[in-house]
Amino acid sequence: MEKHIVKVLKTEFVTHNVKRFTVQKPAGYSFISGQATDVSINKPGLEEELRPFTFTCLNSDDHLEFTIKIYKDHDGITKKLGDINTGDELILHEVFGAINYLGPGLFIAGGAGLTPFISIFRQLRHDDKLAGNTLLFANRTEDDTIIKEELDEMLGKNHIDIISDPKAPGKKGKRIDKELLSQYLPEKSGYCYICGPDEFVAVMKDNLVELGMPEGHVVIEQ
């Protein structure tokens, strides 16, 4: 199995429970936006505890970046990643396929399911090809929204936050349902990309197909 031990160059929390890791990029290591790798912590007893995480940087960057939701309420790997800081080491493995960008359309993300889309959007911005893409981004509260300002900058009015339990007084909660999807559905020649918890993905896919999107144009993690 391919293994690369890399130093953590920088860490920072981008929300109250989502942490960004900037790490060394091994020589010759490459990926396509939307892809992922298995990551473990280079500490005794943790080297073989692999978890898949998506790259959120560009392949052309001289470093790698991961944006990871930290679950502090149970003693898992992400809780341990919450304690990882500059100078610590991670172990990276082979790159594998996740979500491939096939063309403009509608992106539907639930919480940390945004992560594969971050690199895709950044690459499209780099290539001046963001036009025609819309993001519906579901979160529980406004504080859970990852890189909101950057998404606003990249997508403008085509970044739509759907907040189920808003903190703003008098604001009514919303969810992504079939009616909302119908308002943003691309032409049948376009694509719909979904990422989030398994149940969220399944419901969104069923809704899109019922609305007439060809199954071959509904893209989920592979």
Side-chain angles (χ1 to χ4, degrees), residues 17 25 27 84 97 118 123 126 152 180 185:
N17 63 354
K25 185 177 186 180
I84 293 296
I118 294 175
Q123 187 64 55
H126 178 271
D152 284 341
L180 184 66
L185 206 65

PDB file of all heavy atoms in Angstrom, residues 17 25 27 84 97 118 123 126 152 180 185:
ATOM      1  N   ASN A  17     -16.551  23.565  14.597  1.00  0.00           N
ATOM      2  CA  ASN A  17     -16.200  22.141  14.642  1.00  0.00           C
ATOM      3  C   ASN A  17     -15.638  21.601  13.324  1.00  0.00           C
ATOM      4  O   ASN A  17     -15.652  20.391  13.097  1.00  0.00           O
ATOM      5  CB  ASN A  17     -17.410  21.306  15.076  1.00  0.00           C
ATOM      6  CG  ASN A  17     -18.570  21.395  14.087  1.00  0.00           C
ATOM      7  OD1 ASN A  17     -18.528  22.156  13.125  1.00  0.00           O
ATOM      8  ND2 ASN A  17     -19.613  20.618  14.339  1.00  0.00           N
ATOM      9  N   LYS A  25       3.134  18.272   0.571  1.00  0.00           N
ATOM     10  CA  LYS A  25       2.707  17.503  -0.597  1.00  0.00           C
ATOM     11  C   LYS A  25       3.866  16.625  -1.056  1.00  0.00           C
ATOM     12  O   LYS A  25       4.926  17.136  -1.425  1.00  0.00           O
ATOM     13  CB  LYS A  25       2.289  18.452  -1.725  1.00  0.00           C
ATOM     14  CG  LYS A  25       1.719  17.740  -2.946  1.00  0.00           C
ATOM     15  CD  LYS A  25       1.256  18.757  -3.973  1.00  0.00           C
ATOM     16  CE  LYS A  25       0.564  18.097  -5.132  1.00  0.00           C
ATOM     17  NZ  LYS A  25       0.104  19.086  -6.132  1.00  0.00           N
ATOM     18  N   ALA A  27       6.382  14.480  -3.292  1.00  0.00           N
ATOM     19  CA  ALA A  27       6.818  14.644  -4.680  1.00  0.00           C
ATOM     20  C   ALA A  27       6.042  13.689  -5.574  1.00  0.00           C
ATOM     21  O   ALA A  27       5.886  12.506  -5.263  1.00  0.00           O
ATOM     22  CB  ALA A  27       8.313  14.366  -4.787  1.00  0.00           C
ATOM     23  N   ILE A  84      -4.374  17.483  16.667  1.00  0.00           N
ATOM     24  CA  ILE A  84      -3.193  17.548  15.799  1.00  0.00           C
ATOM     25  C   ILE A  84      -2.899  19.005  15.438  1.00  0.00           C
ATOM     26  O   ILE A  84      -3.802  19.770  15.077  1.00  0.00           O
ATOM     27  CB  ILE A  84      -3.423  16.720  14.518  1.00  0.00           C
ATOM     28  CG1 ILE A  84      -3.523  15.235  14.850  1.00  0.00           C
ATOM     29  CG2 ILE A  84      -2.332  16.971  13.484  1.00  0.00           C
ATOM     30  CD1 ILE A  84      -2.257  14.636  15.431  1.00  0.00           C
ATOM     31  N   GLY A  97     -11.088   7.721  -6.455  1.00  0.00           N
ATOM     32  CA  GLY A  97     -12.161   8.512  -7.046  1.00  0.00           C
ATOM     33  C   GLY A  97     -13.243   8.839  -6.044  1.00  0.00           C
ATOM     34  O   GLY A  97     -13.602   8.008  -5.211  1.00  0.00           O
ATOM     35  N   ILE A 118     -15.446  21.870  -2.615  1.00  0.00           N
ATOM     36  CA  ILE A 118     -14.551  23.019  -2.406  1.00  0.00           C
ATOM     37  C   ILE A 118     -13.455  23.025  -3.459  1.00  0.00           C
ATOM     38  O   ILE A 118     -13.208  24.040  -4.128  1.00  0.00           O
ATOM     39  CB  ILE A 118     -13.952  23.000  -0.985  1.00  0.00           C
ATOM     40  CG1 ILE A 118     -15.044  23.206   0.063  1.00  0.00           C
ATOM     41  CG2 ILE A 118     -12.867  24.084  -0.847  1.00  0.00           C
ATOM     42  CD1 ILE A 118     -14.556  23.071   1.507  1.00  0.00           C
ATOM     43  N   GLN A 123     -11.086  24.950  -8.487  1.00  0.00           N
ATOM     44  CA  GLN A 123     -10.489  24.655  -9.790  1.00  0.00           C
ATOM     45  C   GLN A 123     -11.270  25.342 -10.912  1.00  0.00           C
ATOM     46  O   GLN A 123     -10.673  25.899 -11.847  1.00  0.00           O
ATOM     47  CB  GLN A 123     -10.447  23.142 -10.032  1.00  0.00           C
ATOM     48  CG  GLN A 123      -9.698  22.730 -11.291  1.00  0.00           C
ATOM     49  CD  GLN A 123      -8.226  23.078 -11.231  1.00  0.00           C
ATOM     50  OE1 GLN A 123      -7.523  22.690 -10.308  1.00  0.00           O
ATOM     51  NE2 GLN A 123      -7.736  23.847 -12.222  1.00  0.00           N
ATOM     52  N   HIS A 126     -10.332  28.907 -10.930  1.00  0.00           N
ATOM     53  CA  HIS A 126      -8.992  29.037 -11.525  1.00  0.00           C
ATOM     54  C   HIS A 126      -9.068  28.982 -13.050  1.00  0.00           C
ATOM     55  O   HIS A 126      -8.364  29.712 -13.751  1.00  0.00           O
ATOM     56  CB  HIS A 126      -8.092  27.924 -10.992  1.00  0.00           C
ATOM     57  CG  HIS A 126      -6.709  27.925 -11.553  1.00  0.00           C
ATOM     58  ND1 HIS A 126      -6.376  27.236 -12.712  1.00  0.00           N
ATOM     59  CD2 HIS A 126      -5.559  28.525 -11.131  1.00  0.00           C
ATOM     60  CE1 HIS A 126      -5.101  27.412 -12.978  1.00  0.00           C
ATOM     61  NE2 HIS A 126      -4.577  28.193 -12.035  1.00  0.00           N
ATOM     62  N   ASP A 152     -19.577  32.756  -1.276  1.00  0.00           N
ATOM     63  CA  ASP A 152     -20.267  33.950  -1.766  1.00  0.00           C
ATOM     64  C   ASP A 152     -19.445  34.636  -2.850  1.00  0.00           C
ATOM     65  O   ASP A 152     -19.982  35.078  -3.874  1.00  0.00           O
ATOM     66  CB  ASP A 152     -20.521  34.934  -0.622  1.00  0.00           C
ATOM     67  CG  ASP A 152     -21.666  34.495   0.285  1.00  0.00           C
ATOM     68  OD1 ASP A 152     -22.484  33.658  -0.146  1.00  0.00           O
ATOM     69  OD2 ASP A 152     -21.731  34.994   1.426  1.00  0.00           O
ATOM     70  N   LEU A 180     -38.156  22.703  -3.448  1.00  0.00           N
ATOM     71  CA  LEU A 180     -36.998  23.593  -3.587  1.00  0.00           C
ATOM     72  C   LEU A 180     -36.102  23.132  -4.734  1.00  0.00           C
ATOM     73  O   LEU A 180     -35.635  23.949  -5.541  1.00  0.00           O
ATOM     74  CB  LEU A 180     -36.207  23.623  -2.276  1.00  0.00           C
ATOM     75  CG  LEU A 180     -35.023  24.594  -2.236  1.00  0.00           C
ATOM     76  CD1 LEU A 180     -35.493  26.039  -2.323  1.00  0.00           C
ATOM     77  CD2 LEU A 180     -34.195  24.390  -0.978  1.00  0.00           C
ATOM     78  N   LEU A 185     -33.488  23.145 -10.570  1.00  0.00           N
ATOM     79  CA  LEU A 185     -33.131  22.004 -11.409  1.00  0.00           C
ATOM     80  C   LEU A 185     -32.510  22.468 -12.726  1.00  0.00           C
ATOM     81  O   LEU A 185     -33.072  23.329 -13.408  1.00  0.00           O
ATOM     82  CB  LEU A 185     -34.389  21.185 -11.692  1.00  0.00           C
ATOM     83  CG  LEU A 185     -34.219  19.710 -11.994  1.00  0.00           C
ATOM     84  CD1 LEU A 185     -33.664  18.978 -10.784  1.00  0.00           C
ATOM     85  CD2 LEU A 185     -35.551  19.106 -12.414  1.00  0.00           C
TER      86      LEU A 185
END
